[in-house]
Amino acid sequence: MTGGAERPTTGSAGDLTARARIRDAALALFAERGMRGTTIRAVAEAAGVSPGLVQHHFGSKEGLREACDEHVIEALRTIKRQALDGGMDDPGFMGLALRTGLPVQRYLARALVDGSPAAARLFDDAVAAYKDLLERPGPGMNKPSTSDLHAYATAVTGMAFGMIVLHEHLSRALGANTLTLEGYPRLTKALLDVQTDNLISPELLEQTRTALDRLSPSEGSGDA
C-alpha cells in the first residue's frame, strides 16, 4: 500500500480525546497492515495509550474496526455536506477537507479489498448515505432525474470507491500518489470534467436506453 502509516487527523481541532487518538491510530494501521496484520498492542503504542485502554473503549479489535467504519462513513458524509453548504467558498476548507478525507480514503483502499463482511457493510452504508444525499440535495447540487435512485447511488459509490481501490494504478499513470495532497487535486479535477462533459449525444443516449430496456424490462426492481 502507498501512503504509509502516518498519523491521520480525522476529527476537529478539539477532537483529541484518548478514544479519538486510538481511532485515528487504528485507521492508519488498518490502512497499512490490514485487519489481520494489526494488533491491539500496535494500536495502543501508536496512540500512546495502554492496550487495556483500547479494550476499555472498543472491547476488541473487531469493535475497533467497526468504530473506524462508522467514523469513515460519517466523515465522508460530513465533508460532502460541508462542501455543498458553502464550504468551497472558504479558502481553508479544501485543505482541511483533504487532511480529513485522505486518511479516510487510505483506510477505505485497504478495507474494500479485505473481502470481509466489514467491507460489504462499508459499501452498503456508503450507498445509503449517498442515496440520502441525493434525495435531499443541498445548495449547489441538483436532484438527479433518474427513475432508479438506488441504482444511481450504487453506481456513483462504485465509481468513487473504484478510484480509491485502484489508486496505485492511477498514481502510477499520473506520476503522483492520488491519496496525497500532491496527486489528489489533479485526479479530482479530471473527475469534475468527466461529470460535467456531455460526451453522448441525445440520440445515442436514447438508443442505448432503449436497448437496455429490452434487456431489463423490470426497471428499478433492484431498489432497496
Side-chain angles (χ1 to χ4, degrees), residues 52-67:
L53 189 60
V54 176
Q55 293 176 315
H56 169 75
H57 281 297
F58 300 98
S60 65
K61 187 166 70 171
E62 182 58 38
L64 181 55
R65 170 65 178 268
E66 290 176 1

Side-chain angles (χ1 to χ4, degrees), residues 203-223:
E203 293 78 15
L204 180 57
L205 180 61
E206 184 58 31
Q207 291 170 6
T208 305
R209 287 189 182 279
T210 300
L212 291 172
D213 286 343
R214 294 194 191 103
L215 296 175
S216 181
S218 55
E219 183 181 356
S221 62
D223 201 348

Side-chain angles (χ1 to χ4, degrees), residues 3-190:
E6 64 197 65
R7 179 74 64 83
T9 303
T10 58
S12 65
D15 189 11
L16 299 175
T17 64
R19 181 182 176 88
R21 294 201 311 275
I22 294 168
R23 179 202 64 214
D24 284 357
L27 279 170
L29 288 172
F30 284 143
E32 181 189 25
R33 306 176 185 178
M35 179 72 169
R36 291 183 180 179
T38 300
T39 65
I40 290 289
R41 183 173 296 279
V43 172
E45 182 178 350
V49 300
S50 69
L53 189 60
V54 176
Q55 293 176 315
H56 169 75
H57 281 297
F58 300 98
S60 65
K61 187 166 70 171
E62 182 58 38
L64 181 55
R65 170 65 178 268
E66 290 176 1
C68 287
D69 287 351
E70 292 172 5
H71 176 71
V72 163
I73 292 299
E74 185 57 32
L76 292 173
R77 192 197 302 257
T78 298
I79 293 170
K80 192 72 172 180
R81 279 293 182 192
Q82 288 176 343
L84 295 175
D85 289 343
M88 290 302 183
D89 287 335
D90 181 353
F93 172 78
M94 184 58 73
L96 177 61
L98 288 177
R99 287 193 298 274
T100 300
L102 289 176
V104 164
Q105 292 192 36
R106 293 187 190 105
Y107 174 86
L108 279 173
R110 187 62 180 251
L112 291 169
V113 297
D114 267 356
S116 66
R121 289 197 304 270
L122 203 57
F123 186 88
D124 292 346
D125 286 348
V127 170
Y130 200 79
K131 185 177 178 182
D132 178 67
L133 184 66
L134 293 172
E135 287 175 333
R136 292 182 290 274
M141 185 174 179
N142 299 318
K143 192 169 185 178
S145 59
T146 180
S147 61
D148 189 349
L149 191 60
H150 181 73
Y152 190 104
T154 301
V156 172
T157 302
M159 288 188 288
F161 279 18
M163 291 288 179
I164 296 171
V165 172
L166 294 172
H167 77 277
E168 291 184 354
H169 297 288
L170 294 167
S171 300
R172 185 183 65 254
L174 294 178
N177 188 344
T178 58
L179 296 186
T180 66
L181 290 173
E182 180 185 5
Y184 182 83
R186 184 182 179 192
L187 175 62
T188 303
K189 285 190 287 186

